[in-house]
Amino acid sequence: MAWEYAPAPESADLARIEPAYGLFVDGKFVPAADGRTFTTINPASEEPLAEVAAAGPADVDRAVKSARAAFDEVWSRMPGGGRAKYLYRIARILQERAREFAVLESLDNGKPIRESRDVDVPLAAAHFFYHAGWADKLEYAGFGPAPHPLGVAGQVIPWNFPLLMAAWKLAPALAAGNTCVLKPAETTPLSALLLAEVCQQAELPPGVVNIVTGAGETGASLVDHPGVAKIAFTGSTEVGKQIRKAVAGTGKKLTLELGGKAANVVFDDAPLDQAVEGIVNGIFFNQGHVCCAGSRLLVQESVAGPVVERLKRRMATLRLGDPLDKNTDIGAINSRQQLDKIMELSEAGEAQGAGRWSPPCQLPERGYWFAPTVFTGVSQSHRIAREEIFGPVLSVLTFRTPEEAVTKANNTPYGLSAGVWTEKGSRILWMAQRLRAGVVWANTYNRFDPASPFGGYRESGFGREGGRHGLEAYLDV
Ligand code: NDP
């Protein structure tokens, strides 16, 4: 029999979206106690995707109690090799269902499918694989002969990398023997709920992972719950400060991964075309919704002209539009609120005298969009040089000497990441020793690996995620 041609299914059909989702508590999907729900939308079209249960304090309490029971009765007693088995299963199922996850993530978040397919989903699986490897080797991790888990971990995550942040939080916590209650962001709950389905598929014991969807109040209820032993938060510095106050004096362990205003420093001896690719990746990846985005370009004065010229030429080739189109480079902004913030800061940039430029770019009529934008002539006092914009907006500053580059790079309340572009290895090391940033990339940008610890200084938070260091946050050491 001859093969019949079957057209490829529309990408959107690859992800099954239910009309309504419950909370994931004690291994089951359940409605909120008071029946409240909220709508999650597709930011590229403003169309509703699903109704999602909004967890109130009673639901958070139920989830924490379920996690505690699972900790006491099952998970903390299970040998590390047993926990590893479940983590490996989750990792493999994530790989098997990668297309479904990638499509769902792009629909709910607005990020280009090329990024969800090539970055978010594979890295999420890699985090489970990596931490599965640690689960039966914790006594060799350098935290003493018998490190203990803490109990129930309360985890609150943002909307910029919904699945990946869930993996960053859950995998180390579970490997170390803790049980979890996770609160995804209100605008991007769907991939976490699909991950809950994966937990069921992997036959993870009920209560080991609980997912409570809702708004900021749900996160606050989780932070305040007395049954939680550890809080892990990724999000804005403002909410991070509130959480730190709420947790002070309670004995709860805390890690905070907050905002950033990273300097991407280009010296005159750098390979300029390669540096331009790194600048583009640093600020336009994920529409600039990246805590470690290279949002301040510091370029040596002698090459500033050619770098900005090549950058503009490259920016003119970026394709903005449908997140499910594999050729799209820049997708939708995640929410109206975030779009308003980007517009407000960009207007402040112009009002304060910086030169604004975007390539000619037709924005779709519906949805939330912002053209890739570069500001030149930026000074250190401008708001666009100081505040986290969290959008596809780059501020260009110049320097003359390496010392000036360090001073300018460190002139920020944040300290999460930085990039250095130069041909000289000795200069890379010299810079890395002086930059007050948790991560310094050399001749590359936005590279992530589960074995490599990630985290900040000062207003970027404290504690590390990933690697051996990341395990410490989930162990009683
Ligand atoms: P938030 O810090 O408000 O959100 C992060 C997470 O915390 C979400 O799950 C949120 O829920 C939850 N949350 C909100 N308020 C509380 C609270 N009082 N107690 C506990 N949890 C809470 O970030 P936004 O989404 O509002 O973004 C605002 C700005 O923050 C952005 O413009 C950007 O500059 C920065 N940001 C930085 C991130 C980073 O990775 N560094 C990530 C996200 C944002 P809900 O989503 O329902 O509000």
Side-chain angles (χ1 to χ4, degrees):
M1 194 181 83
W3 289 105
E4 274 179 37
Y5 170 73
E10 285 293 314
S11 331
D13 295 342
L14 290 171
R16 181 174 42 83
I17 300 183
E18 307 291 345
Y21 288 85
L23 313 167
F24 186 63
V25 177
D26 208 29
K28 292 182 284 293
F29 287 96
V30 294
D34 60 7
R36 278 194 313 132
T37 63
F38 61 94
T39 309
T40 185
I41 65 158
N42 177 348
S45 65
E46 299 175 60
E47 300 287 341
L49 290 171
E51 281 297 301
V52 181
D59 302 299
V60 170
D61 185 52
R62 200 157 38 130
V64 173
K65 285 188 175 138
S66 157
R68 185 70 216 187
F71 178 80
D72 290 336
E73 290 156 26
V74 186
W75 202 244
S76 66
R77 297 181 183 189
M78 190 182 283
R83 297 197 303 274
K85 180 184 76 180
Y86 289 105
L87 293 177
Y88 278 124
R89 269 191 204 165
I90 293 171
R92 281 195 214 100
I93 299 170
L94 271 173
Q95 285 185 323
E96 282 162 19
R97 300 178 68 173
R99 285 173 65 145
E100 193 182 345
F101 269 102
V103 171
L104 191 66
E105 196 76 318
S106 283
L107 284 170
D108 204 17
N109 172 279
K111 63 174 71 202
I113 188 78
R114 196 163 48 78
E115 291 179 5
S116 45
R117 180 195 66 188
D118 297 347
V119 182
D120 298 62
V121 180
L123 266 180
H127 268 267
F128 280 101
F129 276 121
Y130 173 78
H131 287 96
W134 270 121
D136 61 350
K137 301 174 194 69
L138 295 174
E139 58 270 43
Y140 309 108
F143 303 120
H148 292 290
L150 299 166
V152 178
Q155 306 175 312
V156 180
I157 57 171
W159 44 263
N160 53 344
F161 293 94
L163 175 69
L164 185 58
M165 287 303 107
W168 276 33
K169 295 283 179 280
L170 294 174
L174 298 178
N178 304 276
T179 54
C180 302
V181 180
L182 177 87
K183 207 297 272 179
E186 189 182 6
T187 57
T188 54
L190 296 185
S191 55
L193 294 168
L194 188 59
L195 185 60
E197 202 183 297
V198 167
C199 291
Q200 283 181 327
Q201 200 183 337
E203 295 175 359
L204 190 72
V208 172
V209 168
N210 302 272
I211 297 187
V212 287
T213 42
E217 305 91 79
T218 309
S221 300
L222 181 57
V223 168
D224 292 339
H225 197 290
V228 168
K230 189 235 151 67
I231 296 292
F233 172 77
T234 298
S236 62
T237 296
E238 189 193 335
V239 173
K241 285 179 182 172
Q242 289 170 23
I243 291 180
R244 193 169 187 186
K245 281 188 196 145
V247 163
T250 63
K252 292 174 191 172
K253 213 167 164 169
L254 177 66
T255 43
L256 297 174
E257 203 267 90
L258 310 176
K261 192 73 192 173
N264 203 359
V265 185
V266 178
F267 284 95
D268 58 6
D269 63 346
L272 294 190
D273 286 326
Q274 200 183 318
V276 166
E277 286 308 306
I279 296 163
V280 166
N281 174 35
I283 187 62
F284 300 124
F285 170 62
N286 202 33
Q287 294 75 244
H289 302 327
V290 185
C291 47
C292 51
S295 52
R296 283 184 301 150
L297 172 64
L298 295 187
V299 56
Q300 200 153 18
E301 208 172 82
S302 49
V303 290
V307 167
V308 171
E309 193 192 308
R310 287 182 210 206
L311 175 63
K312 287 181 174 174
R313 216 181 306 142
R314 179 68 178 90
M315 282 169 68
T317 68
L318 295 174
R319 293 182 54 148
L320 177 147
D322 181 4
L324 293 184
D325 181 337
K326 282 183 268 187
N327 296 310
T328 293
D329 298 301
I330 301 195
I333 301 301
N334 180 246
S335 64
R336 159 64 58 193
Q337 192 191 9
Q338 188 59 29
L339 180 60
D340 289 345
K341 180 179 171 185
I342 298 168
M343 293 205 281
E344 195 254 315
L345 275 162
S346 299
E347 279 153 24
E350 271 185 283
Q352 291 189 305
R356 177 176 181 166
W357 185 86
S358 293
C361 174
Q362 180 116 36
L363 302 184
E365 272 169 25
R366 297 203 64 194
Y368 312 131
W369 307 94
F370 198 87
T373 299
V374 59
F375 279 98
T376 47
V378 178
S379 80
Q380 294 188 81
S381 59
H382 287 167
R383 284 183 68 197
I384 53 169
R386 308 200 64 76
E387 296 179 32
E388 185 177 47
I389 301 175
F390 224 61
V393 181
L394 178 68
S395 300
V396 183
L397 297 95
T398 58
F399 66 91
R400 289 184 183 166
T401 62
E403 289 77 9
E404 190 187 348
V406 170
T407 308
K408 284 189 168 167
N410 289 341
N411 184 13
T412 167
Y414 296 110
L416 190 55
S417 59
V420 180
W421 298 83
T422 172
E423 186 183 70
K424 295 188 184 66
S426 57
R427 183 176 278 165
I428 290 169
L429 296 174
W430 188 90
M431 290 290 291
Q433 281 168 350
R434 286 162 180 78
L435 291 170
R436 298 277 295 154
V439 180
V440 179
W441 284 291
N443 293 327
T444 186
Y445 207 90
N446 274 340
R447 299 277 280 203
F448 304 98
D449 189 290
S452 177
F454 183 90
Y457 282 102
R458 306 202 284 167
E459 294 212 358
S460 293
F462 51 81
R464 294 292 176 265
E465 295 191 303
R468 193 188 69 83
H469 301 74
L471 289 170
E472 188 177 352
Y474 289 100
L475 291 168
D476 187 9
V477 291

